[in-house]
């Protein structure tokens, strides 16, 4: 089952980056434990930082370059194959899709998704999960 479309798979990379950031911060501070809630505190911090990086990436890369609106086109089969100036044989030609009533060209707006959620919403989901992990593990650490 495919759970992403277009570049939505990058959300998984940012989740992994958040976990690595969390353990990296724990390693730098010297508070790494073999197991326990102290690691969860740092994983929560890493996920929140990763959510911020994902927001920047989604805002400036995905929204601007990857998922920008594109003109809709269709391919029409040619009656006879044609050789272009480079010597390649063409059997189809590209024609723009026009709106039947207005005659204007139709534009498509592609969307990258992960678990059917658009990628632009995932920084908030990832940040909320990171904050929840941080708070739960911090409460456990402080009550010991």
């Amino acid at each position: 089952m495919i759970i992403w479309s277009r570049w939505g798979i990058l959300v998984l990379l940012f989740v992994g980056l958040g976990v690595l950031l969390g353990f990296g911060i724990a390693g730098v501070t010297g508070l790494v434990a073999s197991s326990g809630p102290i690691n969860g505190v740092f994983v929560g911090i890493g996920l929140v930082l990763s959510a911020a990086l994902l927001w920047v990436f989604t805002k400036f890369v995905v929204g601007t370059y990857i998922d920008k609106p594109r003109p809709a086109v269709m391919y029409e089969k040619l009656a006879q194959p044609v050789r272009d100036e480079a010597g390649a044989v063409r059997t189809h030609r590209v024609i723009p899709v026009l709106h039947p009533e207005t005659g204007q060209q139709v534009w498509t707006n592609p969307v990258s998704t992960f678990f059917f959620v658009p990628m632009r919403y995932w920084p908030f989901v990832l940040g909320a999960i990171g904050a929840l992990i941080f708070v739960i593990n911090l409460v456990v650490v402080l009550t010991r």
Side-chain angles (χ1 to χ4, degrees):
M1 177 170 114
I2 297 177
I3 57 173
W4 68 85
S5 67
R6 299 182 48 81
W7 291 93
I9 189 70
L10 294 176
V11 173
L12 275 180
L13 293 176
F14 278 92
V15 169
L17 176 68
V19 172
L20 288 176
L21 275 173
F23 281 115
I25 293 170
V28 168
T29 59
L31 296 174
V32 173
S34 60
S35 65
I38 192 70
N39 290 338
V41 171
F42 288 109
V43 168
I45 292 170
L47 287 176
V48 170
L49 291 174
S50 177
L53 293 173
L54 180 60
W55 181 83
V56 169
F57 180 77
T58 303
K59 179 83 171 166
F60 295 110
V61 176
V62 174
T64 307
Y65 299 106
I66 295 175
D67 284 347
K68 67 180 179 181
R70 293 181 171 89
V73 295
M74 8 186 268
Y75 296 94
E76 182 179 57
K77 185 170 175 74
L78 298 173
Q80 298 255 335
V82 177
R83 285 198 183 273
D84 62 5
E85 48 281 337
V89 177
R90 305 282 179 193
T91 58
H92 293 79
R93 72 178 180 132
V94 178
I95 56 172
V97 176
L98 302 177
H99 191 275
E101 293 176 7
T102 63
Q104 294 181 345
Q105 187 169 10
V106 175
W107 287 73
T108 60
N109 194 13
V111 178
S112 297
T113 62
F114 184 70
F115 280 114
F116 311 107
V117 176
M119 200 167 163
R120 67 180 176 268
Y121 298 125
W122 274 103
F124 306 108
V125 173
L126 190 59
I129 291 170
L132 185 65
I133 291 172
F134 172 76
V135 169
I136 289 172
N137 286 295
L138 187 64
V139 167
V140 171
V141 166
L142 293 177
T143 56
R144 282 188 169 183

